[in-house]
């Protein structure tokens, strides 16, 4: 009833069926796409609604039930939460990352920086060049395809290192987690538009009031699935 893991063997199913049967192949392909959406939905809610972010979200830490379509995330021993004081600015950072807003992206990264001396002008120029390389018009890549968020984030991290910025620990850990999540989702559904799919989550959750623990100040209505999709 479960995918045993989602790493290199994420199509291994406990029933032991082979993968050369065309009908079964199609079924597995459909399940993988559904699972990619479920994982993405859960992760976006972790980032924007709950502010409790799994810090080691790889295939071996996820179980998927074919019976009820629920995802179970295991091993929550490494969890990251953005300091409530910085949560709104972190949401700004995520939104600017997805929309290619260079000015806000640069400003927030500089605010997250704990190093004393940074050449802000040179850093801003590098972030602009990097953003224009990966994000074009309409939250798409310059070639019209989905933005490769992991590559984009990876290059931003390289620029951060180049300019000797020292980001806050909670922010740095969360940024790294973003790349891991995109890789996991893309393994399951290579065509998944990670950036484009994020916008409705910002509209629904990014401005939600938070308590001092980072959780919504009032519980949301009961939802029918483990990670119910917005649509």
């Amino acid at each position: 009833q479960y995918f045993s893991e989602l790493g290199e063997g994420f199509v291994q199913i406990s029933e032991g069926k082979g993968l050369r049967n065309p009908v079964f192949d199609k079924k597995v392909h459909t399940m993988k796409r559904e699972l990619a959406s479920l994982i993405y939905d859960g992760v976006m809610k972790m980032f924007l609604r709950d502010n409790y972010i799994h810090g080691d979200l790889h295939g071996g830490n996820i179980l998927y039930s074919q019976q009820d379509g629920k995802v179970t995330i295991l091993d929550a021993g490494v969890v990251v939460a953005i300091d409530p004081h910085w949560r709104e600015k972190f949401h700004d950072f995520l939104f600017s990352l997805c929309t290619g807003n260079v000015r806000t992206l640069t400003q927030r990264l500089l605010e997250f920086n704990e190093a004393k001396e940074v050449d802000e002008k040179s850093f801003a120029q590098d972030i602009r060049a990097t953003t224009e390389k990966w994000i074009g018009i309409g939250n798409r890549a310059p070639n019209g395809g989905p933005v490769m968020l992991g590559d984009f984030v990876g290059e931003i991290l390289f620029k951060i290192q180049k300019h000797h910025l020292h980001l806050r620990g909670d922010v740095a850990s969360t940024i790294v987690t973003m790349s891991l999540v995109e890789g996991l989702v893309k393994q399951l559904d290579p065509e998944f538009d990670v950036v484009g799919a994020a916008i409705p989550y910002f509209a629904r959750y990014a401005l939600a009031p938070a308590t001092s623990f980072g959780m919504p100040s009032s519980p949301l209505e009961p939802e029918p699935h483990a990670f119910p999709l917005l649509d």
Side-chain angles (χ1 to χ4, degrees), residues 138-160:
N139 306 328
R140 305 285 288 181
N143 64 4
V147 174
M148 302 301 293
L149 184 63
D151 292 335
F152 180 28
V153 170
E155 191 161 332
I156 285 178
L157 290 174
F158 175 78
K159 300 303 182 186
I160 288 172

Side-chain angles (χ1 to χ4, degrees), residues 18-93:
L19 298 178
R20 295 187 178 181
N21 183 316
V23 175
F24 187 64
D25 284 351
K26 184 176 181 180
K27 181 180 179 181
V28 168
H29 178 71
T30 299
M31 284 192 294
K32 286 163 64 178
R33 292 187 65 182
E34 291 174 353
L35 183 53
S37 294
L38 282 171
I39 292 172
Y40 182 81
D41 182 67
V43 167
M44 290 303 295
K45 288 173 181 176
M46 288 183 197
F47 273 78
L48 298 177
R49 185 188 71 182
D50 302 332
N51 192 27
Y52 284 99
I53 303 155
H54 197 295
D56 189 24
L57 195 59
H58 57 76
N61 283 337
I62 299 175
L63 292 178
Y64 171 60
S65 169
Q66 298 176 58
Q67 265 188 333
D68 54 21
K70 289 186 177 181
V71 170
T72 301
I73 295 181
L74 310 175
D75 190 14
V78 180
V79 177
V80 179
I82 301 297
D83 186 310
H85 176 74
W86 291 94
R87 190 180 179 196
E88 183 176 346
K89 290 185 177 182
F90 182 72
H91 288 175
D92 284 347
F93 163 75

